[in-house]
Amino acid sequence: SEHNAQATFFHLMKQQRPGYECGVVCEWDGFLHYADTLCLDYYKHVPDAPRHPDDIVSESVRYITEKKPTLCFIHIDALDHVGHTYGQGSDEYYAELPRVDERVRKIVEGVRAAGIYDDSIIMISSDHGHIGKAHGGHSDLEIKTPFVIWGKGVKKNHEITETLIQYDIAATVAKIMHLTPAQSWRGKAMDVFE
């Protein structure tokens, strides 16, 4: 692949949809291992986000309202930090959930303010679960993650009952963006569209 990196949907956007605005706003600087910035129109790492998690929301909303991106990936890690510090299921973990909801609400409001809500698809997921303060094993608490998708052309009130894997998210994004997936991809697009 280009730039000696694994083909991601960011690479596919650059190759197959040049001129489409594509950006990433993230808390975790390690995200650079997954998003080749040469394939992005915009990349913003928000430093010290664990101490100031709302800064990533402000930056995301600013980018969305100014650029109206075709594809915007936002990585908010606050709940993960709480899980690693206090443990999944702790009082602190559950206290963080309403703040996560509020951050998502503000981002969705930014999409509305940008005038692109009616043409948007919004996806929310996690890269892993937790068990205690850790992850990386094979227990259900570690490998099962939430996945929510809504927006233009997505089935309403639909529950996904088949088993999905993280790779399926990239394949689903490729389907949404009318991209030809890379031959090396293992995921398959989710059956969530009308």
Side-chain angles (χ1 to χ4, degrees):
S1 145
E2 202 173 19
H3 314 127
N4 295 317
Q6 168 66 25
T8 66
F9 53 76
F10 305 113
H11 287 93
L12 298 182
M13 285 290 289
K14 179 111 174 139
Q15 293 166 349
Q16 299 175 30
R17 299 285 181 257
Y20 282 31
E21 178 73 23
C22 182
V24 169
V25 182
C26 63
E27 291 186 27
W28 180 49
D29 59 357
F31 195 76
L32 277 174
H33 299 293
Y34 304 102
D36 183 350
T37 57
L38 296 173
C39 295
L40 299 172
D41 299 298
Y42 183 78
Y43 175 81
K44 177 69 175 183
H45 168 242
V46 178
D48 204 24
R51 290 185 9 184
H52 307 286
D54 293 330
D55 290 355
I56 196 158
V57 173
S58 301
E59 181 59 32
S60 298
V61 169
R62 187 197 62 73
Y63 172 61
I64 291 166
T65 55
E66 287 181 12
K67 296 294 186 176
K68 299 174 179 44
T70 304
L71 176 64
C72 178
F73 184 95
I74 303 167
H75 177 254
I76 301 175
D77 213 23
L79 186 61
D80 185 60
H81 290 290
V82 172
H84 284 297
T85 303
Y86 301 102
Q88 181 269 341
S90 66
D91 290 343
E92 293 85 356
Y93 189 86
Y94 286 113
E96 184 65 20
L97 291 173
R99 292 189 279 273
V100 170
D101 288 344
E102 180 62 13
R103 291 178 193 117
V104 170
R105 184 195 66 75
K106 287 178 180 178
I107 291 168
V108 171
E109 288 299 317
V111 173
R112 287 185 193 279
I116 58 175
Y117 181 82
D118 291 338
D119 292 320
S120 293
I121 295 175
I122 298 171
M123 303 167 80
I124 300 172
S125 187
S126 174
D127 60 342
H128 59 76
H130 265 93
I131 189 164
K133 296 180 182 179
H135 61 81
H138 300 289
S139 71
D140 278 354
L141 288 174
E142 294 165 282
I143 62 173
K144 286 188 175 180
T145 60
F147 181 78
V148 177
I149 182 171
W150 79 92
K152 185 177 182 178
V154 175
K155 294 176 185 176
K156 308 285 187 267
N157 301 313
H158 175 72
E159 181 180 346
I160 301 169
T161 57
E162 65 269 15
T163 300
L164 304 172
I165 59 174
Q166 292 295 322
Y167 297 121
D168 296 335
I169 295 173
T172 303
V173 170
K175 181 174 182 168
I176 292 166
M177 296 294 158
H178 306 286
L179 303 170
T180 301
Q183 181 275 327
S184 62
W185 285 14
R186 296 183 357 211
K188 61 182 181 175
M190 299 174 202
D191 180 24
V192 294
F193 302 102
E194 296 174 336

